[in-house]
mmCIF file with all atom_site columns, all heavy atoms in Angstrom:
data_model
loop_
_atom_site.group_PDB
_atom_site.id
_atom_site.type_symbol
_atom_site.label_atom_id
_atom_site.label_alt_id
_atom_site.label_comp_id
_atom_site.label_asym_id
_atom_site.label_entity_id
_atom_site.label_seq_id
_atom_site.pdbx_PDB_ins_code
_atom_site.Cartn_x
_atom_site.Cartn_y
_atom_site.Cartn_z
_atom_site.occupancy
_atom_site.B_iso_or_equiv
_atom_site.pdbx_formal_charge
_atom_site.auth_seq_id
_atom_site.auth_comp_id
_atom_site.auth_asym_id
_atom_site.auth_atom_id
_atom_site.pdbx_PDB_model_num
ATOM 1   N N   . ARG C 1 308 ? 7.101  6.282  22.793 1.00 94.00 ? 758 ARG C N   1
ATOM 2   C CA  . ARG C 1 308 ? 6.580  5.442  23.864 1.00 94.00 ? 758 ARG C CA  1
ATOM 3   C C   . ARG C 1 308 ? 7.746  4.851  24.668 1.00 94.00 ? 758 ARG C C   1
ATOM 4   O O   . ARG C 1 308 ? 7.749  4.886  25.909 1.00 94.00 ? 758 ARG C O   1
ATOM 5   C CB  . ARG C 1 308 ? 5.748  4.329  23.227 1.00 94.00 ? 758 ARG C CB  1
ATOM 6   C CG  . ARG C 1 308 ? 5.077  3.411  24.180 1.00 94.00 ? 758 ARG C CG  1
ATOM 7   C CD  . ARG C 1 308 ? 4.101  2.571  23.379 1.00 94.00 ? 758 ARG C CD  1
ATOM 8   N NE  . ARG C 1 308 ? 3.814  1.317  24.014 1.00 94.00 ? 758 ARG C NE  1
ATOM 9   C CZ  . ARG C 1 308 ? 3.067  0.366  23.459 1.00 94.00 ? 758 ARG C CZ  1
ATOM 10  N NH1 . ARG C 1 308 ? 2.566  0.536  22.258 1.00 94.00 ? 758 ARG C NH1 1
ATOM 11  N NH2 . ARG C 1 308 ? 2.827  -0.752 24.105 1.00 94.00 ? 758 ARG C NH2 1
ATOM 12  N N   . PHE C 1 311 ? 9.301  7.597  26.770 1.00 96.00 ? 761 PHE C N   1
ATOM 13  C CA  . PHE C 1 311 ? 8.467  7.961  27.925 1.00 96.00 ? 761 PHE C CA  1
ATOM 14  C C   . PHE C 1 311 ? 8.657  6.939  29.044 1.00 96.00 ? 761 PHE C C   1
ATOM 15  O O   . PHE C 1 311 ? 8.731  7.286  30.222 1.00 96.00 ? 761 PHE C O   1
ATOM 16  C CB  . PHE C 1 311 ? 6.984  8.033  27.523 1.00 96.00 ? 761 PHE C CB  1
ATOM 17  C CG  . PHE C 1 311 ? 6.588  9.356  26.901 1.00 96.00 ? 761 PHE C CG  1
ATOM 18  C CD1 . PHE C 1 311 ? 7.543  10.184 26.322 1.00 96.00 ? 761 PHE C CD1 1
ATOM 19  C CD2 . PHE C 1 311 ? 5.258  9.783  26.894 1.00 96.00 ? 761 PHE C CD2 1
ATOM 20  C CE1 . PHE C 1 311 ? 7.183  11.402 25.749 1.00 96.00 ? 761 PHE C CE1 1
ATOM 21  C CE2 . PHE C 1 311 ? 4.889  10.998 26.335 1.00 96.00 ? 761 PHE C CE2 1
ATOM 22  C CZ  . PHE C 1 311 ? 5.846  11.802 25.752 1.00 96.00 ? 761 PHE C CZ  1
ATOM 23  N N   . GLU C 1 312 ? 8.724  5.668  28.656 1.00 95.00 ? 762 GLU C N   1
ATOM 24  C CA  . GLU C 1 312 ? 8.927  4.628  29.674 1.00 95.00 ? 762 GLU C CA  1
ATOM 25  C C   . GLU C 1 312 ? 10.278 4.809  30.361 1.00 95.00 ? 762 GLU C C   1
ATOM 26  O O   . GLU C 1 312 ? 10.398 4.740  31.580 1.00 95.00 ? 762 GLU C O   1
ATOM 27  C CB  . GLU C 1 312 ? 8.841  3.228  29.041 1.00 95.00 ? 762 GLU C CB  1
ATOM 28  C CG  . GLU C 1 312 ? 7.429  2.831  28.686 1.00 95.00 ? 762 GLU C CG  1
ATOM 29  C CD  . GLU C 1 312 ? 7.360  1.452  28.007 1.00 95.00 ? 762 GLU C CD  1
ATOM 30  O OE1 . GLU C 1 312 ? 8.158  0.572  28.397 1.00 95.00 ? 762 GLU C OE1 1
ATOM 31  O OE2 . GLU C 1 312 ? 6.523  1.285  27.109 1.00 95.00 ? 762 GLU C OE2 1
ATOM 32  N N   . PHE C 1 315 ? 10.705 8.903  31.787 1.00 94.00 ? 765 PHE C N   1
ATOM 33  C CA  . PHE C 1 315 ? 9.719  9.344  32.777 1.00 94.00 ? 765 PHE C CA  1
ATOM 34  C C   . PHE C 1 315 ? 9.321  8.237  33.737 1.00 94.00 ? 765 PHE C C   1
ATOM 35  O O   . PHE C 1 315 ? 8.507  8.447  34.636 1.00 94.00 ? 765 PHE C O   1
ATOM 36  C CB  . PHE C 1 315 ? 8.458  9.880  32.078 1.00 94.00 ? 765 PHE C CB  1
ATOM 37  C CG  . PHE C 1 315 ? 8.720  11.081 31.203 1.00 94.00 ? 765 PHE C CG  1
ATOM 38  C CD1 . PHE C 1 315 ? 8.196  11.164 29.927 1.00 94.00 ? 765 PHE C CD1 1
ATOM 39  C CD2 . PHE C 1 315 ? 9.493  12.147 31.669 1.00 94.00 ? 765 PHE C CD2 1
ATOM 40  C CE1 . PHE C 1 315 ? 8.426  12.273 29.129 1.00 94.00 ? 765 PHE C CE1 1
ATOM 41  C CE2 . PHE C 1 315 ? 9.730  13.254 30.874 1.00 94.00 ? 765 PHE C CE2 1
ATOM 42  C CZ  . PHE C 1 315 ? 9.204  13.320 29.597 1.00 94.00 ? 765 PHE C CZ  1
ATOM 43  N N   . GLY C 1 316 ? 9.835  7.028  33.504 1.00 94.00 ? 766 GLY C N   1
ATOM 44  C CA  . GLY C 1 316 ? 9.507  5.913  34.381 1.00 94.00 ? 766 GLY C CA  1
ATOM 45  C C   . GLY C 1 316 ? 8.038  5.526  34.317 1.00 94.00 ? 766 GLY C C   1
ATOM 46  O O   . GLY C 1 316 ? 7.450  5.084  35.310 1.00 94.00 ? 766 GLY C O   1
ATOM 47  N N   . LEU C 1 317 ? 7.425  5.736  33.174 1.00 95.00 ? 767 LEU C N   1
ATOM 48  C CA  . LEU C 1 317 ? 6.005  5.431  33.058 1.00 95.00 ? 767 LEU C CA  1
ATOM 49  C C   . LEU C 1 317 ? 5.780  3.949  32.784 1.00 95.00 ? 767 LEU C C   1
ATOM 50  O O   . LEU C 1 317 ? 6.652  3.264  32.243 1.00 95.00 ? 767 LEU C O   1
ATOM 51  C CB  . LEU C 1 317 ? 5.381  6.233  31.914 1.00 95.00 ? 767 LEU C CB  1
ATOM 52  C CG  . LEU C 1 317 ? 5.474  7.743  31.992 1.00 95.00 ? 767 LEU C CG  1
ATOM 53  C CD1 . LEU C 1 317 ? 4.650  8.383  30.868 1.00 95.00 ? 767 LEU C CD1 1
ATOM 54  C CD2 . LEU C 1 317 ? 4.949  8.249  33.348 1.00 95.00 ? 767 LEU C CD2 1
ATOM 55  N N   . SER C 1 318 ? 4.604  3.497  33.136 1.00 93.00 ? 768 SER C N   1
ATOM 56  C CA  . SER C 1 318 ? 4.224  2.133  32.799 1.00 93.00 ? 768 SER C CA  1
ATOM 57  C C   . SER C 1 318 ? 4.018  2.070  31.297 1.00 93.00 ? 768 SER C C   1
ATOM 58  O O   . SER C 1 318 ? 3.789  3.097  30.635 1.00 93.00 ? 768 SER C O   1
ATOM 59  C CB  . SER C 1 318 ? 2.916  1.764  33.495 1.00 93.00 ? 768 SER C CB  1
ATOM 60  O OG  . SER C 1 318 ? 1.855  2.509  32.940 1.00 93.00 ? 768 SER C OG  1
ATOM 61  N N   . ASP C 1 319 ? 4.082  0.857  30.751 1.00 91.00 ? 769 ASP C N   1
ATOM 62  C CA  . ASP C 1 319 ? 3.855  0.665  29.327 1.00 91.00 ? 769 ASP C CA  1
ATOM 63  C C   . ASP C 1 319 ? 2.485  1.214  28.948 1.00 91.00 ? 769 ASP C C   1
ATOM 64  O O   . ASP C 1 319 ? 2.313  1.869  27.924 1.00 91.00 ? 769 ASP C O   1
ATOM 65  C CB  . ASP C 1 319 ? 3.946  -0.830 29.013 1.00 91.00 ? 769 ASP C CB  1
ATOM 66  C CG  . ASP C 1 319 ? 3.761  -1.096 27.531 1.00 91.00 ? 769 ASP C CG  1
ATOM 67  O OD1 . ASP C 1 319 ? 4.452  -0.439 26.743 1.00 91.00 ? 769 ASP C OD1 1
ATOM 68  O OD2 . ASP C 1 319 ? 2.905  -1.932 27.171 1.00 91.00 ? 769 ASP C OD2 1
ATOM 69  N N   . TYR C 1 320 ? 1.523  0.974  29.823 1.00 92.00 ? 770 TYR C N   1
ATOM 70  C CA  . TYR C 1 320 ? 0.155  1.394  29.539 1.00 92.00 ? 770 TYR C CA  1
ATOM 71  C C   . TYR C 1 320 ? 0.061  2.919  29.444 1.00 92.00 ? 770 TYR C C   1
ATOM 72  O O   . TYR C 1 320 ? -0.486 3.476  28.478 1.00 92.00 ? 770 TYR C O   1
ATOM 73  C CB  . TYR C 1 320 ? -0.800 0.859  30.608 1.00 92.00 ? 770 TYR C CB  1
ATOM 74  C CG  . TYR C 1 320 ? -2.229 1.277  30.345 1.00 92.00 ? 770 TYR C CG  1
ATOM 75  C CD1 . TYR C 1 320 ? -3.031 0.552  29.460 1.00 92.00 ? 770 TYR C CD1 1
ATOM 76  C CD2 . TYR C 1 320 ? -2.775 2.415  30.962 1.00 92.00 ? 770 TYR C CD2 1
ATOM 77  C CE1 . TYR C 1 320 ? -4.327 0.941  29.199 1.00 92.00 ? 770 TYR C CE1 1
ATOM 78  C CE2 . TYR C 1 320 ? -4.075 2.812  30.699 1.00 92.00 ? 770 TYR C CE2 1
ATOM 79  C CZ  . TYR C 1 320 ? -4.851 2.073  29.818 1.00 92.00 ? 770 TYR C CZ  1
ATOM 80  O OH  . TYR C 1 320 ? -6.125 2.469  29.539 1.00 92.00 ? 770 TYR C OH  1
ATOM 81  N N   . ASP C 1 321 ? 0.614  3.594  30.476 1.00 94.00 ? 771 ASP C N   1
ATOM 82  C CA  . ASP C 1 321 ? 0.571  5.065  30.459 1.00 94.00 ? 771 ASP C CA  1
ATOM 83  C C   . ASP C 1 321 ? 1.320  5.631  29.255 1.00 94.00 ? 771 ASP C C   1
ATOM 84  O O   . ASP C 1 321 ? 0.862  6.573  28.607 1.00 94.00 ? 771 ASP C O   1
ATOM 85  C CB  . ASP C 1 321 ? 1.196  5.631  31.748 1.00 94.00 ? 771 ASP C CB  1
ATOM 86  C CG  . ASP C 1 321 ? 0.198  5.589  32.903 1.00 94.00 ? 771 ASP C CG  1
ATOM 87  O OD1 . ASP C 1 321 ? -0.997 5.340  32.638 1.00 94.00 ? 771 ASP C OD1 1
ATOM 88  O OD2 . ASP C 1 321 ? 0.631  5.801  34.058 1.00 94.00 ? 771 ASP C OD2 1
ATOM 89  N N   . ALA C 1 322 ? 2.475  5.036  29.000 1.00 95.00 ? 772 ALA C N   1
ATOM 90  C CA  . ALA C 1 322 ? 3.284  5.543  27.887 1.00 95.00 ? 772 ALA C CA  1
ATOM 91  C C   . ALA C 1 322 ? 2.517  5.391  26.581 1.00 95.00 ? 772 ALA C C   1
ATOM 92  O O   . ALA C 1 322 ? 2.517  6.285  25.729 1.00 95.00 ? 772 ALA C O   1
ATOM 93  C CB  . ALA C 1 322 ? 4.611  4.798  27.818 1.00 95.00 ? 772 ALA C CB  1
ATOM 94  N N   . LYS C 1 323 ? 1.837  4.280  26.419 1.00 93.00 ? 773 LYS C N   1
ATOM 95  C CA  . LYS C 1 323 ? 1.079  4.041  25.190 1.00 93.00 ? 773 LYS C CA  1
ATOM 96  C C   . LYS C 1 323 ? -0.052 5.058  25.072 1.00 93.00 ? 773 LYS C C   1
ATOM 97  O O   . LYS C 1 323 ? -0.271 5.656  24.006 1.00 93.00 ? 773 LYS C O   1
ATOM 98  C CB  . LYS C 1 323 ? 0.515  2.617  25.207 1.00 93.00 ? 773 LYS C CB  1
ATOM 99  C CG  . LYS C 1 323 ? -0.154 2.227  23.909 1.00 93.00 ? 773 LYS C CG  1
ATOM 100 C CD  . LYS C 1 323 ? -0.697 0.807  23.967 1.00 93.00 ? 773 LYS C CD  1
ATOM 101 C CE  . LYS C 1 323 ? -1.516 0.522  22.722 1.00 93.00 ? 773 LYS C CE  1
ATOM 102 N NZ  . LYS C 1 323 ? -2.185 -0.772 22.798 1.00 93.00 ? 773 LYS C NZ  1
ATOM 103 N N   . THR C 1 324 ? -0.755 5.245  26.206 1.00 94.00 ? 774 THR C N   1
ATOM 104 C CA  . THR C 1 324 ? -1.862 6.199  26.187 1.00 94.00 ? 774 THR C CA  1
ATOM 105 C C   . THR C 1 324 ? -1.361 7.597  25.823 1.00 94.00 ? 774 THR C C   1
ATOM 106 O O   . THR C 1 324 ? -1.929 8.275  24.972 1.00 94.00 ? 774 THR C O   1
ATOM 107 C CB  . THR C 1 324 ? -2.539 6.249  27.562 1.00 94.00 ? 774 THR C CB  1
ATOM 108 O OG1 . THR C 1 324 ? -2.893 4.919  27.931 1.00 94.00 ? 774 THR C OG1 1
ATOM 109 C CG2 . THR C 1 324 ? -3.768 7.134  27.556 1.00 94.00 ? 774 THR C CG2 1
ATOM 110 N N   . LYS C 1 347 ? 5.455  10.809 36.935 1.00 93.00 ? 797 LYS C N   1
ATOM 111 C CA  . LYS C 1 347 ? 4.410  9.796  37.125 1.00 93.00 ? 797 LYS C CA  1
ATOM 112 C C   . LYS C 1 347 ? 3.098  10.473 37.563 1.00 93.00 ? 797 LYS C C   1
ATOM 113 O O   . LYS C 1 347 ? 2.019  10.135 37.092 1.00 93.00 ? 797 LYS C O   1
ATOM 114 C CB  . LYS C 1 347 ? 4.915  8.801  38.172 1.00 93.00 ? 797 LYS C CB  1
ATOM 115 C CG  . LYS C 1 347 ? 3.921  7.745  38.573 1.00 93.00 ? 797 LYS C CG  1
ATOM 116 C CD  . LYS C 1 347 ? 3.766  6.684  37.479 1.00 93.00 ? 797 LYS C CD  1
ATOM 117 C CE  . LYS C 1 347 ? 2.631  5.732  37.833 1.00 93.00 ? 797 LYS C CE  1
ATOM 118 N NZ  . LYS C 1 347 ? 1.808  5.367  36.717 1.00 93.00 ? 797 LYS C NZ  1
#
Side-chain angles (χ1 to χ4, degrees):
Chain C
R758 183 169 155 185
F761 277 22
E762 286 178 36
F765 298 134
L767 301 187
S768 69
D769 182 51
Y770 180 83
D771 279 348
K773 186 180 173 187
T774 307
K797 175 75 187 139

